[in-house]
Amino acid sequence: MSGQAPETSKPLPRTTPDSTPAGDLPLAVVGQPGVPFVEIETLRAREFIPAAKEALSSLLKEQAQGKLIRPVFNWAGRNSLFPLHWGLACCAIEFAAAFGARWDAERFGVVPRSSPRQCDLLIVNGTVTWKVAHKLIALYEQMPEPKWAIAMGNCATGGGPFRTAYSVVPGVDKLIPVDVYIAGCPPRPENMLDGILRLEQLIKERGE
Amino acid sequence: MDQEQLSAGLSARFPGKILGVDTFPGTNGRVRFDATVASDLFRSLRDDFHFTHLTMVGATDWIDHREVFYVLWSDADRRYLILSTDLPAESPVIASAVPIWPSANAHEREAWDLVGVKFEGHPDLRRIFMPEGYAYHPLLRSFKIHEPEDLEVKVRSD
């Protein structure tokens, strides 16, 4: 077997630049030598620019209709959510545990960041008082679009046991739009991960 | 200085303005005074009776009147003294203790925030627990624990 050279190893007749007239060089020579890339060889420089223009304008047209880029952004965005690292109360302990070694939320692409300008997900994990309400709104407004919010735990959802207290906001949806509510006092890390996966499903369905 | 000396000294300095001295375990007693002499009384207690430290200021709403109380500490006697005064519910105003004891600052802000007692001469009488734009003094008895949806709070925007 090894002594015989296979038939395909014979050198194929090459298409050399000699056969092309001078000044009409091919735009690019790619692939194995001898394989005639007719399409590329005939795509001369003066034809390339209009062809590229046409291709680009059709791409832009599709993008304007949201057919091309938006699904890609949706897929990429929902699989790499960046929650804001803003601990308010005891739910923040579960929030922290979810990003630890045991539950490891980062395998879902969720990485907490410390600046609202680097985030697209606000997880409100604790009791929001009226005193801190304007800071919650400021943080939410500092996050770039598209952005989502999760109310984690009973306090953020509806005030929890402090609902009738004079100092507690009865649910953060009084202040910011909330996409997913997670029940529990506090919710377990699995519960929080379930909420994040539900939010990913929500983003997929909405097609944002 | 024991309680009798203190009571006699205060009554001599502020005739008719010391409304009573009760015994209070572990302290030099509770002195009930007229709020009109508050500023002079504080200064006298600090300078003449060596109550150098103000431990706390509090206020209570008794519906028909509001009580303001002060807890003082004397390093010389190693004794507490409680001051108490009643303010009318319509206009609960008293002189601030901040010029005499700077530690009164946060306590008086708390009493203003929660019970609505005004301290004249306070350098910075703002709310301390509730945000600006909160319309209530929530530890007043007239503050109903209503449905939270009825609470009207203006949240300021940064």
Side-chain angles (χ1 to χ4, degrees):
Chain A
M1 286 292 282
S2 60
Q4 268 190 339
E7 295 244 335
T8 50
S9 70
K10 275 186 192 170
L12 290 165
R14 299 184 60 152
T15 55
T16 57
D18 302 343
S19 62
T20 58
D24 260 356
L25 288 172
L27 184 73
V29 178
V30 289
Q32 289 175 341
V35 178
F37 278 89
V38 181
E39 296 86 3
I40 290 174
E41 284 196 17
T42 53
L43 195 63
R44 314 287 175 212
R46 71 174 73 86
E47 295 160 5
F48 173 74
I49 292 171
K53 256 187 182 170
E54 195 185 329
L56 194 62
S57 64
S58 71
L59 277 179
L60 287 172
K61 216 176 277 174
E62 283 192 349
Q63 191 199 350
Q65 294 163 357
K67 284 179 184 166
L68 186 71
I69 301 296
R70 209 173 284 173
V72 180
F73 272 160
N74 184 300
W75 168 79
R78 73 169 182 263
N79 285 302
S80 74
L81 290 167
F82 287 83
L84 181 62
H85 197 189
W86 191 46
L88 275 170
C90 39
C91 280
I93 304 296
E94 304 297 311
F95 177 85
F99 292 96
R102 182 163 179 149
W103 286 279
D104 193 14
E106 287 190 23
R107 66 202 148 114
F108 301 111
V110 188
V111 182
R113 303 290 299 178
S114 294
S115 165
R117 299 186 192 270
Q118 299 167 349
C119 294
D120 55 3
L121 171 60
L122 181 62
I123 298 182
V124 186
N125 46 19
T127 319
V128 179
T129 57
W130 287 113
K131 184 85 169 177
V132 87
H134 70 281
K135 285 294 171 203
L136 176 75
I137 295 171
L139 286 172
Y140 186 76
E141 285 175 351
Q142 282 175 14
M143 283 160 47
E145 294 274 0
K147 55 190 170 186
W148 300 277
I150 289 180
M152 180 184 177
N154 290 351
C155 292
T157 301
F162 316 111
R163 182 178 170 81
T164 50
Y166 55 83
S167 57
V168 172
V169 179
V172 289
D173 49 5
K174 305 269 183 297
L175 305 170
I176 57 170
V178 175
D179 297 286
V180 172
Y181 299 85
I182 303 174
C185 188
R188 287 185 60 80
E190 302 95 306
N191 223 336
M192 207 198 88
L193 294 179
D194 181 55
I196 287 172
L197 293 177
R198 273 166 198 271
L199 177 67
E200 288 179 7
Q201 192 62 33
L202 203 68
I203 297 166
K204 188 179 180 183
E205 283 166 8
R206 280 186 195 163
E208 281 169 6
Chain B
M1 185 182 295
D2 59 8
Q3 189 177 329
E4 285 74 27
Q5 283 175 301
L6 182 77
S7 174
L10 281 176
S11 300
R13 276 178 174 77
F14 302 97
K17 302 295 184 187
I18 304 299
L19 306 178
V21 181
D22 314 330
T23 52
F24 212 86
T27 71
N28 258 341
R30 187 179 69 163
V31 175
R32 294 175 53 247
F33 67 99
D34 194 323
T36 52
V37 294
S39 195
D40 295 332
L41 179 71
F42 297 155
R43 199 171 293 282
S44 171
L45 280 167
R46 186 192 64 179
D47 296 341
D48 307 334
F49 297 93
H50 310 298
F51 284 98
T52 47
H53 178 67
L54 179 74
T55 305
M56 71 164 290
V57 180
T60 315
D61 179 24
W62 294 109
I63 301 175
D64 54 338
H65 66 276
R66 289 180 208 173
E67 181 188 356
V68 183
F69 58 91
Y70 302 77
V71 180
L72 309 179
W73 169 256
S74 166
D75 270 336
D77 291 349
R78 302 198 62 76
R79 279 282 183 159
Y80 286 105
L81 176 73
I82 298 171
L83 299 178
S84 161
T85 185
D86 291 346
L87 304 175
E90 309 83 49
S91 62
V93 182
I94 190 170
S96 170
V98 177
I100 293 103
W101 294 290
S103 63
N105 192 319
H107 296 276
E108 290 185 351
R109 277 178 66 188
E110 180 188 353
W112 157 246
D113 190 359
L114 301 180
V115 192
V117 176
K118 265 192 182 169
F119 294 90
E120 280 186 336
H122 191 289
D124 186 24
L125 196 64
R126 285 177 294 132
R127 286 178 175 272
I128 189 166
F129 293 138
M130 308 311 295
E132 296 294 330
Y134 195 78
Y136 315 95
H137 298 291
L139 290 196
L140 289 179
R141 312 267 173 161
S142 55
F143 182 83
K144 295 280 187 296
I145 299 190
H146 34 32
E147 275 301 301
E149 279 74 17
D150 302 338
L151 210 64
E152 286 174 19
V153 182
K154 284 180 201 150
V155 178
R156 82 181 152 92
S157 64
D158 286 333

